Amino acid sequence: MKFLDQAKVHIRSGDGGAGSVSFRREKFIEFGGPDGGDGGRGGDVWAEAVNGLNTLIDYRYQQHFKAKTGVHGMGRNLTGAKGADVVLKVPAGTQIFEDDNETLICDLTEPGQRYLLAKGGNGGFGNQHFKTSTNQAPRRANPGLPGVEKSIWLRLKLIADAGLVGLPNAGKSTFLATVTAAKPKIADYPFTTLHPGLGVARIDAREFVIADIPGLIEGAHEGIGIGDRFLGHVERTRVLLHLVSAQEEHPGKVYKTVRGELEAYGNGLAEKPEIVALSQVDTLDADERKKKLAALKRACGTTPFLLSAVTREGVEAVLRALMAVVEEARALASPKTGEDEDRWKV
């Protein structure tokens, strides 16, 4: 299945059904009077977060969604039925924006959450509503109100506990493949990862979700390389794992480059807890390790982890450090209180 994290769709709620003009005419009933029923309300357009989806690929092949028109009213005071609704099923973590792609309509972060995107038009009144003492046989009825038509943007931001950031070929995909059951593409050239990936890591009988995004390069916030489009997938994470390749000649400079891109992107990424690791250390001898570890330590201000996903050196230590931050954040935040309160709002 292809990964698609943004799609534009066109929606229209159903028109209301028209009211009926009808009169009761029965044998032995002298004064029947008007009995035209009301029209039914048009169908609504809803968005619903569901389990089992992790991409918006369905909306590449269908972009137009229209709810059904309400059934027209009929005689004998019969009200028309409501038109059928349309439900856009999206992955948890989907944000919905207006046509300008900036005005947020809703943020569906939990399976089962629903949001009314477009309400169907009300049905028209039948002629029974217009009966008065001076007009006992009205021959008019209201048409149904039209539905709402507009274009919206769907934007998916993956929900994960930890996010992987770093330059291309920093070992992010190899780390994800080592600690989870995910099978990302791994190769010895830059930008191997073209789409974000998710995996579930397990350490000490506890689990958390890791998100991997394509590598960042200098100027990514201005659209250079793949750009910063995929940084949105680590906005919801509780901690970042910043990998710096041991094959870099100046690891401290590389670290500052990526940090600069996170700060330029904004949205709170630069303020998230960060764990730094010098990856691919299996390619260095002891002296080079010390030298590059010291350079990276001066740049980040903390002691980085030594990590090799190939030989699994330092893997468990990094996972435990990530798990500690994740558990602390889970303890402080709850579905209704804490710093994650906004994530549960519809």
Side-chain angles (χ1 to χ4, degrees):
M1 181 183 294
K2 293 183 178 180
F3 183 86
L4 186 70
D5 64 344
Q6 186 167 277
K8 184 177 184 179
V9 298
H10 308 277
I11 61 173
R12 178 181 171 85
S13 57
D15 298 336
S20 172
V21 176
S22 175
F23 296 91
R24 183 179 181 185
R25 293 185 177 89
E26 294 186 38
K27 191 176 183 180
F28 306 121
I29 297 179
E30 183 176 0
F31 302 103
D35 66 348
D38 300 337
R41 193 163 68 84
D44 303 324
V45 179
W46 293 81
E48 180 180 3
V50 298
N51 280 318
L53 291 179
N54 56 11
T55 175
L56 297 173
I57 189 65
D58 293 340
Y59 299 100
R60 171 170 289 178
Y61 306 108
Q62 182 181 359
Q63 294 90 30
H64 295 265
F65 299 88
K66 182 180 179 181
K68 297 295 184 181
T69 300
V71 178
H72 301 316
M74 292 171 283
R76 299 186 180 181
N77 295 321
L78 295 179
T79 299
K82 180 181 181 298
D85 294 340
V86 166
V87 180
L88 306 183
K89 295 184 177 181
V90 297
T94 300
Q95 293 180 326
I96 301 179
F97 293 84
E98 295 284 4
D99 192 25
D100 59 7
N101 207 6
E102 294 181 358
T103 306
L104 180 65
I105 299 175
C106 64
D107 190 359
L108 305 178
T109 60
E110 291 297 318
Q113 286 183 332
R114 288 166 59 94
Y115 189 88
L116 180 61
L117 296 174
K119 187 176 181 180
N122 289 328
F125 286 151
N127 65 337
Q128 62 171 322
H129 280 275
F130 302 101
K131 178 182 176 181
T132 66
S133 59
T134 58
N135 183 14
Q136 297 187 15
R139 297 180 179 277
R140 58 171 291 228
N142 285 346
L145 295 179
V148 177
E149 183 175 7
K150 60 181 179 180
S151 298
I152 58 174
W153 283 91
L154 308 179
R155 189 184 304 167
L156 174 61
K157 292 184 178 180
L158 298 177
I159 297 178
D161 296 304
L164 302 179
V165 296
L167 288 186
N169 279 23
K172 301 185 299 297
S173 296
T174 305
F175 179 80
L176 183 69
T178 300
V179 302
T180 73
K183 300 186 186 319
K185 182 178 179 180
I186 300 173
D188 59 353
Y189 55 84
F191 296 114
T192 307
T193 301
L194 298 177
H195 306 291
L198 285 179
V200 179
R202 184 179 179 87
I203 185 69
D204 299 332
R206 296 168 296 175
E207 294 180 346
F208 64 99
V209 180
I210 300 178
D212 175 29
I213 64 170
L216 301 172
I217 61 175
E218 187 173 2
H221 68 281
E222 298 175 348
I224 298 177
I226 295 182
D228 63 357
R229 174 181 171 185
F230 295 117
L231 279 174
H233 294 290
V234 293
E235 279 186 28
R236 303 182 192 272
T237 59
R238 306 174 191 270
V239 58
L240 298 178
L241 175 57
H242 188 160
L243 297 183
V244 179
S245 174
Q247 299 181 28
E248 298 287 350
E249 186 176 354
H250 303 289
K253 182 179 179 181
V254 167
Y255 170 83
K256 292 180 179 179
T257 297
V258 175
R259 286 297 300 179
E261 295 306 316
L262 297 180
E263 292 171 1
Y265 177 79
N267 295 317
L269 280 187
E271 288 74 37
K272 287 186 179 295
E274 179 189 58
I275 293 175
V276 183
L278 185 65
S279 63
Q280 302 171 344
V281 294
D282 56 294
T283 61
L284 302 180
D285 57 29
D287 292 337
E288 289 179 324
R289 280 193 185 194
K290 291 181 179 179
K291 181 180 178 181
K292 294 193 175 182
L293 183 65
L296 183 56
K297 181 178 180 179
R298 286 193 300 270
C300 66
T302 59
T303 302
F305 286 87
L306 292 174
L307 177 66
S308 173
V310 175
T311 64
R312 297 193 66 87
E313 178 184 352
V315 169
E316 291 189 358
V318 169
L319 289 179
R320 288 193 176 97
L322 292 172
M323 190 74 246
V325 178
V326 170
E327 285 196 329
E328 182 180 357
R330 288 174 179 174
L332 294 175
S334 66
K336 295 182 180 180
T337 61
E339 62 184 14
D340 286 354
E341 182 177 357
D342 291 340
R343 294 173 56 184
W344 297 82
K345 292 181 180 178
V346 179

